[in-house]
Amino acid sequence: MIPEEIRNKYQAVIGLEVHAQMLTASKAYSDDVNEYGSAPNTNVSAITLGHPGTLPVMNKKTIEFAIKLGVACESHIHEEQHFARKNYFYPDLPKGYQITQDTTPICTGGQIYIKDDSGNEKKIGITRIHMEEDAGKSIHDVDVYDTLVDLNRAGVPLLEIVSEPDIRTSQEAYNYVSEVRKLVRYLDICDGNMEEGSLRCDANISVMLKDASEFGTKVEVKNMNSIRNVQKAIEFEIERQIITIENGESLAQETRSFDALKGITISMRTKEAANDYRYFPEPDLLPLVVKEDQINEVKKKMPSLPRDLFLKYTNELNLSEYDAGNLTENRDIALFYEELIKETSNYKSASNWVMGDVKSYLNKNGLEITDFPISAKTLAALIGIIEDGKVNNTIASQKIFPVLLENPSKDPLQIAEELNLIQESDAGSILTFIHEVIEQHPDEVSRYRGGEKQLIGFFMGQLMKASKGKADPKAANQLIRETLDK
Ligand code: ADP
Ligand code: MG
């Protein structure tokens, strides 16, 4: 750790390059199956291998996905698309080149909204989004002697999202990758799974003195397999760079690799040794034209986006930012909530149910909301009978909800009636219970009357017990006070 006062002299500058594997059925330029976890080297045709005489064919879905992401980021979507070859040798790159977009990315400009370290909204500019293909995978840890190569991943379509150097802290970087992941999941174009490598992030990091007018020398860090590790790698790198500068040494522009076990970055190659990719136009693919019509078609089918829902929940439904953030964190949860509020206008109660009983049931059972047995309509009906004063929240949560989980087609009101759970809000029957409680606890009654008003909690507890939880708490609270204060 470097002393605070030294650290505080510097400002970090960060730009991220995120690669997202597209959830297409087939690969980017062939009909090989695009699937994670197949037996090694089973989804590999002659096209993927780049055998002489084979020709790539563009997968239309990837263009649609790129447009979707571009629309979501409010990027400029360009009409004319060219493809380029990026040439390099690597054992997991059978063609000897990668088909990518060099000078004509499909999208430029736009932004991703994140929260800064104080929780305020901040725009991170998008430099470009382009389409390309993944390489195969070199596996170093299965065979003791050799590196193994699995080419199933070769040719899987990718979108690369390059940010402007607008990010200033490791926490902002964490928030940025989280937002990108949330967005691609909402758009259903990538599963966002960093552990399986379907979402990957390279971080470009530099530091400069706070009053400097130019950015410092940047270092690119690779191989982080979780968002937390992106943050850790950046944190380490910022300190390393500050220490280097403070020691009077100069920083090399280089690519470094993150070692998650040690929590450090290690030099892989310097800029001087960097590959010259010799980009040139891909001769086997025709230029592609993205028409206004096609963009409008995609716009028509755009799903709700997390930020729009967040703004709707806070501005229109008057939920807190905490609730809105929680509900929109996961797309399917948000969609369930959307269904729920079509059936009930008690938005806050609906939010409490989703974030409370529903989520804890899912967590306890390791389930996703898509596996949740109770329909939004039935849950709304349960919220409705609480609102109508037929049962209280506790009864609904502890007695009716569990029955519904077992019998999701049952009607909540019917369950309440069958189990004799309908709340007593009728003053007469509540008073019977109150008198019972007062008779049984003469000491507490005199203490209450002597000024220990906090004993009201005790009486409410006793009353709930006597009424088996069926007394309407609001009516009961008032009646008990009136009776005791007499
Ligand atoms: P390169 O030509 O080395 O690939 P680019 O200009 O394409 O560099 O930028 C790649 C990424 O690095 C982008 O995300 C950009 O925002 C980021 N970047 C550029 N300059 C800096 C810098 N000085 N410090 C941190 N990040 C930077
Ligand atoms: Mg680059």
Side-chain angles (χ1 to χ4, degrees):
M1 283 290 274
I2 38 178
E4 239 355 65
E5 68 264 28
I6 294 184
R7 166 100 199 206
N8 284 341
K9 287 179 5 196
Y10 291 90
Q11 174 63 62
V13 173
I14 301 151
L16 299 180
E17 294 168 87
V18 172
H19 286 89
Q21 278 181 354
M22 301 289 91
L23 280 173
T24 51
S26 57
K27 291 187 182 175
Y29 313 106
S30 76
D31 63 3
D32 286 348
V33 174
N34 170 18
E35 184 179 69
Y36 181 85
S38 303
N41 298 306
T42 49
N43 301 325
V44 186
S45 64
I47 298 176
T48 292
L49 295 172
H51 281 185
T54 57
L55 284 174
V57 179
M58 189 68 207
N59 183 339
K60 274 196 194 143
K61 209 72 190 170
T62 61
I63 301 158
E64 184 192 318
F65 284 6
I67 297 172
K68 252 182 162 179
L69 185 58
V71 169
C73 298
E74 297 178 302
S75 303
H76 179 71
I77 298 164
H78 296 266
E79 192 171 339
E80 217 178 294
Q81 304 298 314
H82 297 272
F83 294 89
R85 283 190 186 180
K86 179 179 180 179
N87 301 281
Y88 62 95
F89 172 80
Y90 208 75
D92 59 21
L93 189 76
K95 296 204 294 262
Y97 60 85
Q98 202 181 355
I99 303 178
T100 179
Q101 294 191 298
D102 180 28
T103 52
T104 58
I106 181 161
C107 307
T108 55
Q111 74 282 317
I112 299 268
Y113 290 92
I114 66 159
K115 290 265 187 304
D116 68 14
D117 292 11
S118 334
N120 298 318
E121 191 170 70
K122 174 174 176 179
K123 265 187 199 185
I124 304 299
I126 299 295
T127 313
R128 56 186 280 157
I129 301 172
H130 66 257
M131 301 180 274
E132 59 180 27
E133 61 177 328
D134 214 340
K137 210 153 122 190
S138 298
I139 301 160
H140 307 288
D141 56 1
V142 170
D143 189 291
V144 203
Y145 302 105
D146 298 307
T147 288
L148 306 179
V149 174
D150 178 6
L151 294 177
N152 283 347
R153 202 177 71 178
V156 165
L158 297 175
L159 288 179
E160 178 171 343
I161 307 147
V162 182
S163 88
E164 289 289 301
D166 289 345
I167 298 164
R168 291 289 172 272
T169 66
S170 64
Q171 181 65 49
E172 284 186 13
Y174 181 94
N175 296 349
Y176 174 85
V177 184
S178 304
E179 288 303 323
V180 171
R181 180 171 69 174
K182 203 194 297 178
L183 190 58
V184 296
R185 284 177 170 168
Y186 265 74
L187 295 170
D188 214 7
I189 60 176
C190 169
D191 67 22
N193 191 331
M194 289 192 80
E195 289 71 30
E196 290 179 359
S198 34
L199 192 79
R200 304 197 288 274
C201 174
D202 301 335
N204 298 273
I205 305 146
S206 66
V207 299
M208 61 180 182
L209 286 170
K210 275 190 176 152
D211 54 7
S213 55
E214 266 177 51
F215 291 164
T217 304
K218 79 171 153 81
V219 164
E220 182 170 356
V221 183
K222 293 181 175 292
N223 293 328
M224 290 84 80
N225 66 351
S226 69
I227 303 185
R228 192 56 71 193
N229 280 344
V230 171
Q231 184 178 18
K232 281 188 187 157
I234 292 172
E235 215 33 64
F236 175 85
E237 194 50 33
I238 293 172
E239 295 218 343
R240 188 191 69 83
Q241 293 185 12
I242 293 175
I243 291 169
T244 308
I245 295 171
E246 286 287 313
N247 286 343
E249 295 157 31
S250 66
L251 281 161
Q253 184 169 348
E254 59 180 347
T255 303
R256 299 175 71 89
S257 169
F258 181 62
D259 180 332
L261 284 179
K262 300 202 180 103
I264 60 171
T265 66
I266 301 152
S267 183
M268 286 167 78
R269 53 178 183 263
T270 57
K271 189 74 183 176
E272 293 75 55
N275 291 313
D276 178 358
Y277 296 116
R278 298 290 304 275
Y279 284 99
F280 66 83
E282 166 60 57
D284 290 341
L285 283 173
L286 286 171
L288 200 99
V289 178
V290 176
K291 292 252 171 62
E292 199 63 36
D293 287 357
Q294 194 181 357
I295 300 174
N296 288 334
E297 270 315 298
V298 172
K299 277 186 183 160
K300 262 191 243 154
K301 287 187 291 184
M302 282 295 275
S304 302
L305 298 178
R307 180 166 178 270
D308 296 337
L309 291 179
F310 182 89
L311 293 175
K312 169 178 158 186
Y313 295 170
T314 48
N315 295 338
E316 291 170 33
L317 309 189
N318 282 321
L319 296 182
S320 66
E321 293 204 350
Y322 175 82
D323 281 27
N326 201 314
L327 291 169
T328 54
E329 193 50 47
N330 172 299
R331 180 195 61 175
D332 294 328
I333 294 270
L335 293 183
F336 184 81
Y337 184 71
E338 284 289 289
E339 286 305 307
L340 199 52
I341 58 174
K342 279 185 199 153
E343 309 283 343
T344 171
S345 52
N346 200 333
Y347 310 126
K348 177 60 183 156
S349 177
S351 163
N352 289 345
W353 274 92
V354 172
M355 291 177 357
D357 292 67
V358 174
K359 272 199 176 176
S360 63
Y361 168 78
L362 298 175
N363 289 343
K364 225 182 279 160
N365 295 283
L367 296 173
E368 300 290 330
I369 185 79
T370 40
D371 306 316
F372 187 60
I374 304 172
S375 71
K377 205 173 168 156
T378 302
L379 190 58
L382 181 59
I383 294 169
I385 63 171
I386 303 168
E387 220 179 330
D388 294 345
K390 296 231 164 41
V391 295
N392 62 43
N393 253 311
T394 316
I395 290 280
S397 162
Q398 293 175 3
K399 299 268 162 59
I400 305 178
F401 186 69
V403 176
L404 278 175
L405 288 169
E406 297 299 321
N407 310 278
S409 59
K410 271 202 149 169
D411 172 40
L413 182 58
Q414 190 196 342
I415 298 173
E417 281 163 351
E418 281 172 12
L419 299 180
N420 195 21
L421 298 171
I422 300 292
Q423 175 164 273
E424 302 282 359
S425 43
D426 156 54
S429 46
I430 294 180
L431 276 174
T432 322
F433 293 123
I434 292 179
H435 291 308
E436 198 178 299
V437 170
I438 286 181
E439 241 162 64
Q440 284 166 0
H441 301 281
D443 292 350
E444 282 80 1
V445 172
S446 47
R447 277 167 57 204
Y448 177 90
R449 290 190 170 141
E452 288 184 53
K453 298 290 175 200
Q454 75 278 11
L455 279 169
I456 194 75
F458 166 80
F459 289 112
M460 278 299 289
Q462 293 301 317
L463 176 71
M464 282 303 171
K465 215 157 131 192
S467 70
K468 300 202 169 57
K470 280 165 37 182
D472 172 3
K474 227 176 170 175
N477 197 293
Q478 202 184 340
L479 283 172
I480 250 186
R481 283 174 198 273
E482 283 172 13
T483 318
L484 287 167
D485 289 340
K486 254 185 219 157

